[in-house]
């Protein structure tokens, strides 16, 4: 078996860019499950995928319920594909196993006591929140959307038994973020099927969810991220059509209103080829964000999206991964972005977690004659963009979206970042240049990195010396660089994005560690006119996108002459970057990172560096230009000389 998917008979007449129509979605879903079921030797075997060493769960010394949790996650998240396939063809089989029978049998065993994969009840565990709640939300979402696939096959006695376990977790405590949606889905499913629930609790969860909406269709739950699209909008819309319209019509309408607003700019998050951007946490879920294309056609009003363009982007995002040679590990999606990527996953994930990325298979709930399936693929706004760049401004979440017609790439500029985390705190995220991990020893890709050279300031607590003259427990850490601690959004005016990178938070000398950012977007890049307000002796670096070394092929670095400045370019097959500095910087250089790039074990980063050793350095403008392009055509002088007096 090859390690990637290609349609057997791509339909290029209907889908000239991807070859993907409804038949190919069914074929792809079958292909994915066929590989996953290599881990099932017998009908009675539960899905249990190989443990992945690293930070993810379960760890070898974890209690047994953690293994049960990973088994339930595998069952529920593969059902994200299996449910739609069963809905499409009830007799569908994988490796000789009838899916409908398999999931019916193993879900019953998981949700009733006395079996190897039985889900524990919350009262048998320490009072906390658990992954089980998340999976019950996902399970009930699928059962609400596809009521024909499993529930009616159970006897009334079996339904009672299953409902008791769902109810225990549906009524259990949840976390104060998007997780309320999981309780909402489970409580709503129970009520719809005639089981008693705490209706006040359900209403409270719903009102909390609405309170998270901050504008532009976006919801703030911990920070702004893909959860707005994949949970608040995708799960929320499914909830509205299957339950909310009947029992809570005003709340369902409010969710629809926010969805319509979000969909105004939703396609702008994707590259011309449908590529998604490696941005925010839970990135191993990858294409779950593409589920928005489908639920846009479940709104009570007409979808704001054109169906041929929606399918083109949705299909392209799936092909981005299933056609990548590093994607499948142990016959299941890797924990990472393309291949395994330890720094990009969280400790709440297990080897089954990436199957949530197949949320777009809810498309099979849409009838065959729906325009999503029958419209010819097209490239939407990209067809008229030419070599210019389109900019979308989302003030409420503080996001700027840039679609570069010149390169076909799309970028996310974050403006409201609440903590130091490379999932969120990069200067910009690109669909075709996935981010790198942070480097404490020096320059970091697409971030400012700061090192204090203040002799009083060895651990970042210079406030101790500031007024008292006392160095309290001032341990030496000057050899370490830190990146942006938080970021403030100051608006987009006259074609310039204004942000502030807070390199250290007060009380450390108040506002003495701030970089005022001004980004002027260019076709295929950005002109940076940033102001350094680092008050004491310091060293600063600014990194460009990292270039992965595929097949042990290092990037080719070239120094190019430019007017008024210095320039370095770097190239790998199919991708190139250029970094120019004009003022406020001392040098340009490059380095090779190991174990920091999402695509390869080694990568090259171009960076600018400055060192200021005055006790009170002046504020300075730091002017630089960062460009990128796809393909192997060398940079022309005209492309690199964009700055003129």
């Amino acid at each position: 078996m090859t390690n990637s998917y290609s349609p057997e008979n791509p339909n290029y007449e209907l889908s000239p860019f991807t070859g993907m129509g409804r038949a190919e979605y069914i074929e792809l879903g079958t292909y994915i499950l066929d590989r996953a079921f290599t881990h099932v030797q017998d009908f009675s075997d539960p899905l249990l995928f190989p443990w992945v060493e690293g930070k993810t769960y379960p760890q070898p010394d974890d209690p047994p319920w953690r293994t049960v949790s990973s088994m339930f996650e595998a069952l529920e998240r593969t059902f994200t594909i299996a449910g739609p396939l069963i809905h499409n063809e009830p007799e569908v089989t994988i490796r000789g196993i009838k899916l409908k029978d398999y999931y019916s049998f193993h879900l019953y065993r998981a949700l009733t006591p006395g079996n190897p994969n039985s889900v524990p009840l919350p009262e048998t565990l320490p009072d906390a929140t658990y992954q089980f709640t998340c999976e019950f939300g996902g399970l009930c979402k699928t059962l609400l959307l596809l009521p024909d696939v499993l529930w009616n096959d159970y006897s009334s006695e079996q339904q009672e038994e299953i409902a008791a376990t769902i109810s225990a977790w549906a009524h259990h405590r949840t976390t104060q973020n998007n997780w309320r949606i999981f309780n909402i889905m489970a409580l709503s499913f129970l009520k719809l099927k005639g089981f008693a629930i705490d209706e006040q609790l359900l209403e409270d969860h719903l009102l909390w969810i609405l309170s998270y909406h901050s504008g532009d269709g976006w919801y703030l739950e911990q920070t702004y991220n893909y959860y707005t699209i994949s949970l608040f909008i995708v799960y929320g819309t499914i909830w509205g059509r299957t339950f909310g319209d009947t029992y809570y019509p005003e709340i369902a309408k409010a969710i629809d209103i926010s969805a319509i607003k979000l969909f105004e700019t939703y396609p702008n998050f994707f590259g011309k080829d449908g590529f998604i951007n490696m941005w925010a946490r839970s990135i191993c879920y990858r294409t779950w964000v593409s589920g928005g294309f489908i639920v846009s056609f479940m709104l009570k009003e007409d979808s704001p999206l054109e169906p041929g363009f929606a399918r083109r982007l949705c299909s392209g995002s799936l092909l981005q991964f299933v056609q990548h040679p590093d994607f499948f590990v142990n016959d299941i999606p890797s924990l990472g972005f393309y291949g395994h990527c330890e720094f990009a996953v969280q400790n709440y994930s297990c080897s089954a977690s990436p199957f949530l990325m197949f949320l777009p298979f809810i498309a099979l709930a849409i009838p065959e004659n729906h325009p999503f399936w029958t419209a010819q693929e097209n490239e939407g706004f990209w067809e008229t963009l030419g070599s210019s760049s389109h900019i979308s401004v989302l003030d409420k979440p503080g996001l700027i979206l840039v679609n570069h017609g010149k390169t076909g790439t799309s970028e996310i500029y974050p403006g409201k970042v609440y903590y130091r985390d490379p999932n969120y705190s990069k200067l910009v995220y690109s669909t075709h240049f996935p981010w790198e991990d942070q480097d404490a020893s020096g320059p970091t890709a697409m971030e400012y990195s700061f090192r204090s050279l203040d002799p009083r300031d060895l651990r970042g607590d210079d406030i101790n010396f500031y007024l008292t003259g006392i160095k309290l427990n001032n341990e030496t850490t000057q050899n370490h660089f830190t990146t942006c601690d938080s970021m403030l959004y100051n608006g987009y005016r006259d074609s310039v994005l204004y942000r502030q990178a807070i390199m250290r938070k007060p009380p450390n000398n108040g506002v003495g560690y701030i970089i005022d950012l001004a980004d002027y977007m260019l076709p295929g890049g950005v002109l940076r006119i940033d102001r350094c307000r680092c008050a004491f002796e310091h060293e600063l670096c600014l990194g460009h996108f990292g270039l992965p070394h595929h097949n042990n092929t290092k990037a080719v670095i070239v120094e190019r002459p430019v007017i008024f400045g210095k320039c370095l370019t770097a190239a790998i097959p199919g991708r190139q970057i250029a970094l120019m500095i004009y003022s406020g910087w001392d040098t340009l250089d490059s380095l090779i990172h190991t174990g920091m790039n999402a695509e390869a074990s080694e990568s090259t980063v171009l960076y600018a560096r400055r060192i200021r050793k005055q006790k009170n350095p002046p504020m300075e403008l730091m002017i630089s230009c960062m460009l990128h392009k796809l393909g192997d055509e060398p940079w022309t002088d005209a492309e690199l000389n964009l700055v003129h007096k």
Side-chain angles (χ1 to χ4, degrees), residues 369-516:
N369 61 356
H370 190 280
F372 179 81
W373 295 120
T374 60
Q376 187 178 51
E377 276 186 350
N378 64 76
E379 294 193 308
F381 64 80
W382 292 97
E383 294 179 350
T384 57
L385 199 51
S387 61
S388 63
S389 297
H390 180 270
I391 298 170
S392 304
V393 180
L394 302 174
D395 281 321
K396 295 302 188 294
L399 297 174
I400 303 297
L401 311 179
V402 184
N403 306 112
H404 291 293
K406 185 175 182 179
T407 63
T409 64
S410 293
E411 295 175 332
I412 299 172
Y413 283 76
K416 298 181 180 181
V417 179
Y418 304 115
Y419 39 79
R420 180 180 295 126
D421 183 342
N423 290 283
Y424 299 100
S425 57
K426 298 287 184 181
L427 293 170
V428 61
Y429 294 82
S430 170
T431 51
H432 290 71
F433 296 84
W435 61 263
E436 289 197 355
D437 200 5
Q438 293 165 329
D439 182 2
S441 67
T444 288
M446 200 44 71
E447 291 195 67
Y448 273 106
S449 49
F450 166 88
R451 179 169 64 168
S452 174
L453 301 178
D454 183 345
R456 307 164 304 158
D457 173 25
L458 300 182
R459 73 170 194 178
D461 284 346
D462 51 325
I463 188 67
N464 293 319
F465 192 88
Y466 181 44
L467 295 176
T468 65
I470 299 173
K471 299 180 182 180
L472 180 62
N473 299 323
N474 218 14
E475 300 169 358
T476 300
T477 58
Q478 278 190 326
N479 290 329
H480 292 83
F481 285 80
T482 58
T483 54
C484 171
D485 206 34
S486 61
M487 195 178 296
L488 303 179
Y489 175 72
N490 295 327
Y492 183 85
R493 299 182 301 278
D494 299 326
S495 302
V496 178
L497 167 62
Y498 295 97
R499 299 175 291 175
Q500 287 179 308
I502 312 300
M503 305 308 290
R504 286 182 178 173
K505 292 179 180 177
N508 289 310
N509 279 305
V511 292
Y513 302 100
I514 291 177
I515 301 173
D516 298 313

Side-chain angles (χ1 to χ4, degrees), residues 4-242:
S4 61
Y5 166 80
S6 295
E8 289 187 9
N9 296 293
N11 187 345
Y12 288 119
E13 183 176 346
L14 177 67
S15 303
F17 301 101
T18 69
M20 297 287 288
R22 196 170 192 275
E24 287 69 38
Y25 272 67
I26 294 170
E27 179 185 285
L28 174 57
T30 304
Y31 172 86
I32 294 166
L33 285 187
D34 185 77
R35 297 194 68 161
F37 269 67
T38 59
H39 300 285
V40 177
Q41 303 305 313
D42 184 80
F43 180 88
S44 61
D45 293 341
L47 278 170
L48 181 60
F49 299 132
W51 174 65
V52 177
E53 185 178 359
K55 72 179 73 156
T56 52
Y57 89 96
Q59 292 294 310
D61 57 349
D62 277 348
W65 64 261
R66 291 282 276 170
T67 298
V68 172
S69 177
S70 70
M71 293 165 68
F72 186 49
E73 191 166 339
L75 190 65
E76 187 279 311
R77 297 200 177 191
T78 57
F79 192 54
T80 302
I81 305 175
L85 289 179
I86 295 168
H87 171 73
N88 179 74
E89 174 49 66
E91 301 300 315
V92 61
T93 63
I94 297 291
R95 294 183 174 264
I97 296 175
K98 184 178 176 182
L99 286 184
K100 190 177 183 73
D101 292 346
Y102 182 86
Y103 281 90
S104 177
F105 175 79
H106 284 282
L107 278 170
Y108 178 72
R109 286 171 64 89
L111 303 183
T112 54
N115 304 299
N117 62 332
S118 294
V119 171
L121 296 179
E123 56 264 29
T124 67
L125 302 172
D127 186 16
T129 52
Y130 293 92
Q131 190 65 33
F132 297 108
T133 300
C134 173
E135 304 315 314
F136 276 111
L139 173 63
C140 291
K141 168 265 300 172
T142 303
L143 294 178
L144 283 169
L145 179 64
L146 305 171
D148 59 320
V149 295
L150 286 186
W151 186 253
N152 294 333
D153 295 337
Y154 294 121
S155 68
S156 58
E157 290 79 13
Q158 290 174 318
Q159 290 176 353
E160 291 278 356
E161 292 177 281
I162 293 171
T165 302
I166 296 176
S167 180
W169 284 100
H171 288 91
H172 186 54
R173 76 163 68 245
T174 194
T175 58
Q176 304 310 302
N177 55 20
N178 61 79
W179 273 46
R180 289 182 182 272
I181 296 174
F182 304 138
N183 297 71
I184 288 169
M185 303 305 285
L187 289 167
S188 299
F189 175 76
L190 291 170
K191 179 174 173 61
L192 190 66
K193 298 304 179 182
F195 296 99
I197 65 166
D198 183 340
E199 300 201 21
Q200 184 60 54
L201 177 62
L202 173 57
E203 185 172 337
D204 287 345
H205 283 317
L206 287 166
L207 293 177
W208 270 99
I209 287 298
L210 291 187
S211 77
Y212 297 153
H213 184 253
S214 59
D216 293 328
W218 282 78
Y219 293 77
L220 176 62
E221 38 91 59
Q222 283 178 308
T223 185
Y224 294 104
N225 51 43
Y226 285 144
Y227 281 82
T228 280
I229 300 168
S230 305
L231 289 183
F232 290 90
I233 299 302
V234 174
Y235 277 51
T237 302
I238 291 172
W239 173 85
R241 298 298 83 80
T242 60

